[in-house]
Amino acid sequence: MTTVSLLDRAISVLRLNDAGMFTKPGPHQYPHQWNWDSALIALGLSHFDLPRAHLEIRSLLSGQWQDGMIPSVVYHSMPSDYFPPSQFWQIENSPSAPPVPTTGITQPPLLATVVRRIDSRHPNPDFVREVYPSLLRWHRWMHTARDIDDSALACIIHPWESGTDDSPRWLRLFEAIQPEALPEFRRGDTRYVAAAERPNRSEYERFIYLIDVFRKLNYAPTALLAHSPFLAQDVLFNAILFRADEDLRALGVSLGEPTGEIDGWLDRVQGNFNTRFWDEGAGLYYDYDVRSGNPIPVNTAATFLPLFAGLPSREQAQRLVEGHLLNPVEYAPSGQVRHWVTTTARTEPTWEPRRYWRGPVWVIMNWFIAEGLRRYGYDGLAETIRQDTLGLIETSGFREYYDARDGSGCGSDDFSWSAALALEMSHDSK
Ligand code: GLC
């Protein structure tokens, strides 16, 4: 009997989920094209099929709005049982909506970072020239249409925009939102995955309520900033954006484009990031609730994302890593917990080992964290996390997330970014 290598199995998962123009994040649970999933999927595809990686990116860009937003989901008119379906968003009431069906919100902007990484391995100036204007317009939209205080930090208007839907970071904000006249809806996400591994009902109602508010505002950017009941400056989103701005700048330089506008964003975010998010007492980065004007003091793995962007000083990095990541009561494996890195600190009363973004291990977070650790010279710890992550995949398959206690898989099977990142993280050791 021959054993199929992890890399061959990863390639099979990406092929299995290949819908022709785009790759589904999961075969049943996520049957359309998701924004940051597709960026990572393109990175994975680039290891064995570069033209297909380019097609993945082109397909995502086909959903770009006139105002520059790249939406969280491009539906590509694929029939599916996914909820919410494309019609639910009613984006046709916005003058900015694209001709293809999409959601009306965005997701963390990983794409420029991915395009740069692929280009550094397989230089292709024509492709960079083709996608650069779209990337620039998206970044400009985040730094303007989503900037409420002239800080150049971007606001998110829905937890889905954070990519970490039911993270305990958003609980307090949700408590302040009382859905009135909730539209009729029936969840689809618990059809294929156990309800105990998915968001609670009260959060789900608020996810839907927010969409109803946005569609009544016809997705007008100024109205959304003024009236969205949920408005946050997210550490994870803004760290990814800063890193992506740097990567966009490098792409611009390679094309001989002027970079003054990007330099302006980088300067302003660099100046404002630590002031806005760093909590000196806790030694953690906290998200910011714009509506109440308060930091959100919840300790989740989002606090490590600034390392990925090179934003902390050496001292801040040391406090994050030595004070928290290596702390056996918060994140480091100890006792019942055997794997890196739980998405919520285990000292948080809201930590739940199998529920979605409430605490399981996610491959994407481990990848960000390992990359960030390497930037700050913590190579040994980065390697430990990389190997632990690949070990989880080897043992439990390409799952959406994992229970850190026994390494068992949760959520969707055959999850595309777990496969894409297995390819990328295996490459890291070469
Ligand atoms: C969930 C995740 C989000 C991801 C999507 C598709 O909504 O929270 O980050 O992009 O699934 O995988």
Side-chain angles (χ1 to χ4, degrees):
M1 202 180 86
T2 51
T3 37
V4 184
S5 79
L6 185 72
L7 299 188
D8 286 338
R9 279 182 277 145
I11 292 171
S12 304
V13 168
L14 293 180
R15 294 287 192 213
L16 168 80
N17 292 333
D18 189 339
M21 297 282 289
F22 70 93
T23 307
K24 303 175 212 169
H28 309 292
Q29 186 80 345
Y30 305 108
H32 302 281
Q33 184 174 34
W34 266 256
N35 184 326
W36 70 335
D37 297 71
S38 260
L40 293 174
I41 287 163
L43 187 58
L45 288 167
S46 71
H47 289 285
F48 62 97
D49 189 345
L50 189 60
R52 183 63 188 76
H54 288 165
L55 176 63
E56 188 74 26
I57 294 170
R58 286 191 182 105
S59 295
L60 179 61
L61 296 180
S62 74
Q64 185 163 35
W65 284 39
Q66 315 290 328
D67 62 7
M69 181 179 78
I70 301 185
S72 58
V73 180
V74 185
Y75 286 89
H76 291 294
S77 306
M78 286 275 291
S80 81
D81 56 5
Y82 182 75
F83 183 85
S86 59
Q87 314 81 276
F88 191 83
W89 293 86
Q90 300 173 3
I91 63 165
E92 60 284 359
N93 296 331
S94 160
S96 291
V100 297
T102 72
T103 60
I105 57 173
T106 195
Q107 257 196 334
L110 259 185
L111 193 57
T113 297
V114 162
V115 170
R116 182 184 181 196
R117 184 162 295 189
I118 295 176
D119 192 65
S120 70
R121 294 176 186 154
H122 310 280
N124 187 331
D126 289 343
F127 182 73
V128 174
R129 188 165 297 288
E130 176 189 331
V131 299
Y132 181 80
S134 306
L135 292 171
L136 183 64
R137 289 202 302 123
W138 186 24
H139 286 222
R140 184 181 294 136
W141 174 84
M142 288 182 276
H143 288 298
T144 52
R146 288 302 181 82
D147 179 0
I148 197 160
D149 54 8
D150 214 22
S151 60
L153 298 169
C155 290
I156 60 168
I157 58 174
H158 194 294
W160 288 351
E161 291 198 318
S162 77
T164 63
D165 312 4
D166 71 335
S167 169
R169 308 191 275 156
W170 313 130
L171 276 177
R172 220 173 60 183
L173 282 67
F174 265 13
E175 276 162 20
I177 299 174
Q178 287 314 320
E180 37 191 69
L182 201 60
E184 284 235 350
F185 74 93
R186 188 135 162 231
R187 291 174 71 156
D189 63 310
T190 46
R191 195 175 294 137
Y192 302 108
V193 173
E197 297 173 12
R198 295 291 306 177
N200 291 313
R201 184 187 161 150
S202 69
E203 276 116 66
Y204 213 91
E205 287 180 354
R206 285 163 175 80
F207 295 154
I208 298 307
Y209 172 69
L210 286 173
I211 299 173
D212 192 41
V213 171
F214 304 159
R215 63 190 188 179
K216 287 183 180 137
L217 297 170
N218 296 336
Y219 301 98
T222 42
L224 294 177
L225 275 192
H227 302 298
S228 171
F230 180 100
L231 197 69
Q233 288 168 333
D234 170 359
V235 168
L236 175 145
F237 191 104
N238 280 285
I240 290 175
L241 176 56
F242 182 81
R243 167 77 186 259
D245 280 342
E246 284 186 334
D247 292 319
L248 184 67
R249 184 184 189 284
L251 293 170
V253 168
S254 76
L255 297 173
E257 293 288 330
T259 60
E261 183 181 13
I262 305 174
D263 288 331
W265 302 330
L266 285 166
D267 280 353
R268 282 158 65 215
V269 173
Q270 179 112 54
N272 291 322
F273 195 94
N274 281 299
T275 323
R276 171 55 87 212
F277 297 125
W278 179 252
D279 186 293
E280 181 58 24
L284 290 165
Y285 286 100
Y286 287 146
D287 307 286
Y288 185 77
D289 176 1
V290 177
R291 287 284 172 252
S292 76
N294 290 308
I296 306 167
V298 180
N299 181 0
T300 73
T303 196
F304 304 120
L305 259 290
L307 298 167
F308 174 74
L311 281 159
S313 66
R314 292 264 141 214
E315 293 69 36
Q316 287 172 317
Q318 195 176 359
R319 290 191 68 190
L320 287 170
V321 175
E322 291 166 31
H324 299 285
L325 186 56
L326 288 170
N327 182 339
V329 295
E330 289 181 32
Y331 292 101
S334 90
Q336 274 200 320
V337 169
R338 303 202 336 251
H339 297 281
W340 299 89
V341 174
T342 46
T343 36
T344 299
R346 301 189 301 268
T347 41
E348 289 291 336
T350 45
W351 182 65
E352 285 187 71
R354 293 184 75 82
R355 193 184 297 282
Y356 216 36
W357 290 99
R358 285 289 168 80
V361 174
W362 283 75
V363 175
I364 190 175
M365 295 303 279
N366 283 8
W367 178 69
F368 284 134
I369 293 170
E371 292 253 328
L373 290 171
R374 266 188 231 110
R375 267 187 102 141
Y376 285 83
Y378 292 100
D379 291 12
L381 182 55
E383 183 56 17
T384 301
I385 292 175
R386 189 184 75 86
Q387 285 185 13
D388 190 38
T389 313
L390 290 172
L392 275 176
I393 298 172
E394 183 70 67
T395 311
S396 299
F398 300 93
R399 298 299 299 269
E400 191 178 2
Y401 39 100
Y402 303 84
D403 186 329
R405 297 168 303 179
D406 59 4
S408 59
C410 313
S412 175
D413 281 319
D414 295 320
F415 194 62
S416 292
W417 83 34
S418 299
L421 287 172
L423 290 159
E424 180 66 14
M425 290 176 109
S426 302
H427 180 90
D428 288 346
S429 67
K430 289 185 192 139

